[in-house]
Amino acid sequence: MSATGGPRSAAALVLIGLACQEVGASFAVMLFPQTGPLGIVMLRLLFSATLLLIIARPRWRGHSPAHWREVVAFGLVLATMNGLFYLALERLPLGVTVTIEVLGPLTLSIITATGLARWLWAGLALTGVVALGAGGWDRLDPLGVLFALGAAVSWALYILASARVGRAVPRLDGLALAMAIGAIAALPFGIAQAGEVLLRLDILALGAAVAVLSSTVPYALELIALRRLPASAFAILMSLGPATASTAGFLLLGQHLSWLEVGGIALVIAASIGAVTAAARRAPGARHPGSDPNEPLSEPVG
């Protein structure tokens, strides 16, 4: 593949992965009447963990107690992040939920940044959130907003936990073990909410489809793309998540957004791109998590 075609093809793979991720989230919303949000969280984590364990075949022995504490914390954060995200999805449009959730890693980027530019991106993100509200706070369920904000905080904690586990456990091993722990943590909540519905083969098949679309396919495509794209370009493309979520919500779930809400989403995307670009200028040699064999790739969210 040519040098020109390589990056373009890689960018296309990232965008396809984002689209699959949001289609998976849309399928999850369609399952809420049968399983509830916690039921589908359990199914997603369970199937994702099974696939990762088969692919990675991690070692269960040989890890120190300190390393296991890091992995367990990572798994619990992962389960919490997914649980809060789907609880928010039950009450908010997909695009709005993803936009609020993106504030977590965006805030982390701004806090760790230096210089006056970070206040510009913070102000832009805040303006975007205000615009979301100006589009009609009466349309935004308060509890749903709290769940989405909790998912945002969890995503920031997930990034920090992912880095710690990456230093302690080989790349896929750490993510696979954490995913298994997250699935175990989600089991009682999912069973309590979904009950005997989980015994239906059609529900299990759809839950597996959500896991594949939301996790497996984006994960694989991002892994390929990371070999051909600079870290900054990859991160900028990932910042388009709220846009792809809004599109999926409109096309698959019939979720309409006002122009002010669309504008708010655009401002948050612009703030994310600005923060990523500024970080790339400060550390041109920095690589996305996963480019180092000792760091796990991020589990796709959404």
Side-chain angles (χ1 to χ4, degrees):
M1 185 175 294
S2 66
T4 302
R8 289 179 181 175
S9 299
L13 290 177
V14 174
L15 294 176
I16 291 170
L18 283 172
C20 288
Q21 192 173 317
E22 304 311 337
V23 169
S26 299
F27 283 177
V29 172
M30 295 176 190
L31 285 172
F32 283 174
Q34 284 78 39
T35 66
L38 298 182
I40 196 62
V41 166
M42 186 207 76
L43 288 176
R44 172 181 169 172
L45 292 178
L46 191 60
F47 284 114
S48 296
T50 301
L51 287 169
L52 271 174
L53 290 173
I54 292 171
I55 294 169
R57 291 183 291 179
R59 290 186 300 105
W60 292 87
R61 298 180 179 179
H63 304 297
S64 70
H67 290 171
W68 271 113
R69 284 194 293 271
E70 297 287 3
V71 171
V72 170
F74 188 21
L76 293 178
V77 167
L78 195 155
T80 302
M81 177 180 67
N82 279 276
L84 291 172
F85 177 78
Y86 281 110
L87 285 169
L89 270 188
E90 186 182 28
R91 297 169 177 271
L92 298 175
L94 179 56
V96 172
T97 304
V98 172
T99 301
I100 295 174
E101 189 188 33
V102 163
L103 295 177
L106 174 58
T107 301
L108 187 62
S109 296
I110 291 169
I111 289 174
T112 56
T114 56
L116 295 176
R118 64 174 177 167
W119 300 111
L120 170 63
W121 309 129
L124 201 60
L126 178 61
T127 304
V129 172
V130 171
L132 277 178
W137 281 112
D138 55 321
R139 296 179 57 212
L140 299 184
D141 182 277
L143 187 56
V145 172
L146 286 176
F147 284 142
L149 288 172
V153 173
S154 298
W155 195 355
L157 293 174
Y158 171 91
I159 292 170
L160 298 174
S162 174
R164 288 196 296 270
V165 169
R167 290 189 291 268
V169 184
R171 184 165 67 182
L172 280 179
D173 282 26
L175 183 57
L177 293 173
M179 187 72 72
I181 289 166
I184 293 169
L187 270 175
F189 300 98
I191 293 172
Q193 187 165 76
E196 61 186 19
V197 170
L198 296 172
L199 299 176
R200 287 170 45 185
L201 290 179
D202 59 331
I203 295 296
L204 291 174
L206 288 170
V210 169
V212 170
L213 285 169
S214 297
S215 298
T216 309
V217 172
Y219 184 93
L221 294 179
E222 288 170 16
L223 179 61
I224 296 170
L226 278 167
R227 295 171 181 165
R228 306 174 188 170
L229 274 180
S232 57
F234 178 86
I236 287 171
L237 287 168
M238 294 299 291
S239 299
L240 299 177
T244 58
S246 300
T247 303
F250 174 72
L251 293 176
L252 300 176
L253 302 173
Q255 296 175 341
H256 296 266
L257 299 176
S258 69
W259 285 110
L260 273 174
E261 288 171 323
V262 172
I265 290 170
L267 288 173
V268 172
I269 291 172
S272 298
I273 292 173
V276 166
T277 304
R281 290 198 196 101
R282 290 195 307 274
R287 294 185 287 182
H288 183 273
S291 55
D292 186 330
N294 292 321
E295 293 184 21
L297 284 166
S298 297
E299 159 71 3
V301 180

